[in-house]
Amino acid sequence: MTAPPERRAAAAGVSPDAPIARRADPDRFLCALFLPAAAREAAFTLLAFNHETVRALGGMQSRAVAGSMAGLIRLQWWREIIEGAPHPHEIADPIRALIAQGRVKPETLLGILDAREAELDGLADWPAWRTAMRGGAGGIQVAIAQAAGVTDPDLLKAVESHGAAYGAGGLVRHLELVLASGRCPVPDSALAESGLSGDTIRDGAPLPPDIARALRADLRREGQAFLAEAGRRRLPRQARAAALPGVLARRDFARGADPAPRGLGDRLAVMAAMAFG
């Protein structure tokens, strides 16, 4: 029997960033395995970077002491790395190398940080949420596509939409878990009618079941709109590999709340999409 992609990658001896990406972001790690080898290594670095930016958003204990400032300081530290500061970190040098080689545009990585900062500041409404989702979940897929050599603006826009859809799908699957971590990547306007706010959620207020159901319905609608914007055309191979998280998004919208690990059906769907577009 053929070994799964993850096992083949482990046996091949991948970069030091690969274990971080695999542990922290198994969905995108799986999708990255379908990239060409050189782009695959870059993708692992970018996924590790993305993980660090997400880590800056959670943690109710640090928020209780410093509010959003602790997260903003961490994000500013990464912003300085992208702008060339020699701050030490195991993925800082690989990130700086990708930028110096022209393989990833610094504006794309800064856009990811902008999205994270917007979440910390609070997403006022659905337009603000869409912008943050495009820059964050969409931006990491655009960076991966750039590392794979994709330069066409229309292709990058399609990849961004697939990535944004995946971000919405992740919230549909894991909404309560994400909110319990101290994050609030949903619009304040969607919480206000129930007397909640982003701050109360970040401070640990539970989400009423009826509000959770309504939010999931809104997130599914918004995510499906991202997929519709991406279109159904067959993408070139490098762009297709970068857009694969959109396949998982489509399945998440059909499945709804489901914190269980990915199954064989998800893996086969990704493989089929890569093979047949």
Side-chain angles (χ1 to χ4, degrees):
M1 180 180 294
T2 303
E6 296 97 323
R7 193 171 300 169
R8 293 201 304 272
V14 293
S15 70
D17 296 333
I20 301 173
R22 182 181 184 184
R23 180 178 62 254
D25 203 338
D27 285 358
R28 292 190 183 98
F29 176 85
L30 169 66
C31 295
L33 296 179
F34 294 93
L35 291 160
R40 194 182 309 143
E41 298 300 321
F44 296 151
T45 294
L46 291 165
L47 293 177
F49 164 76
N50 186 59
H51 172 59
E52 291 295 330
T53 72
V54 172
R55 284 183 62 201
L57 303 179
M60 286 182 287
Q61 184 175 4
S62 61
R63 179 177 174 80
V65 175
S68 63
M69 187 56 64
L72 292 171
I73 289 172
R74 293 176 69 179
L75 293 173
Q76 177 61 28
W77 192 79
W78 282 104
R79 186 178 295 275
E80 292 168 2
I81 287 175
I82 293 168
E83 293 171 345
H87 300 325
H89 192 279
E90 60 187 323
I91 65 169
D93 282 343
I95 284 289
R96 284 187 286 255
L98 287 174
I99 295 170
Q101 295 161 7
R103 299 185 61 194
V104 176
K105 291 185 179 298
E107 300 83 35
T108 304
L109 301 181
L110 292 173
I112 295 171
L113 295 176
D114 289 343
R116 306 308 181 209
E117 289 175 358
E119 181 181 324
L120 280 175
D121 289 338
L123 304 171
D125 49 28
W126 284 108
W129 178 88
R130 293 182 200 111
T131 298
M133 197 61 61
R134 286 190 174 280
I140 185 62
Q141 298 310 131
V142 169
I144 289 171
Q146 289 171 346
V150 179
T151 59
D152 182 274
D154 290 338
L155 292 178
L156 291 174
K157 191 66 175 177
V159 168
E160 179 188 81
S161 295
H162 281 290
Y166 172 75
L171 291 176
V172 169
R173 285 186 77 205
H174 302 298
L175 181 61
E176 287 86 355
L177 187 62
V178 172
L179 297 180
S181 74
R183 293 181 57 194
C184 190
V186 297
D188 279 346
S189 62
L191 301 169
E193 293 181 4
S194 61
L196 295 171
S197 69
D199 285 339
T200 59
I201 291 294
R202 293 185 193 93
D203 290 339
L207 191 68
D210 58 329
I211 303 302
R213 284 192 297 272
L215 267 175
R216 277 198 169 86
D218 289 338
L219 290 164
R220 183 181 295 107
R221 182 195 67 239
E222 294 287 340
Q224 289 170 335
F226 284 139
L227 289 177
E229 291 172 6
R232 304 278 298 194
R233 62 173 171 156
R234 183 181 176 90
L235 299 174
R237 186 170 183 82
Q238 286 90 336
R240 194 186 321 158
L244 284 176
V247 176
L248 297 175
R250 196 177 300 278
R251 294 175 64 82
D252 292 342
F253 298 142
R255 178 165 36 204
D258 182 8
R262 295 284 181 190
L264 179 61
D266 293 312
R267 296 167 185 263
L268 291 176
V270 170
M271 295 172 66
M274 191 63 204
F276 305 114

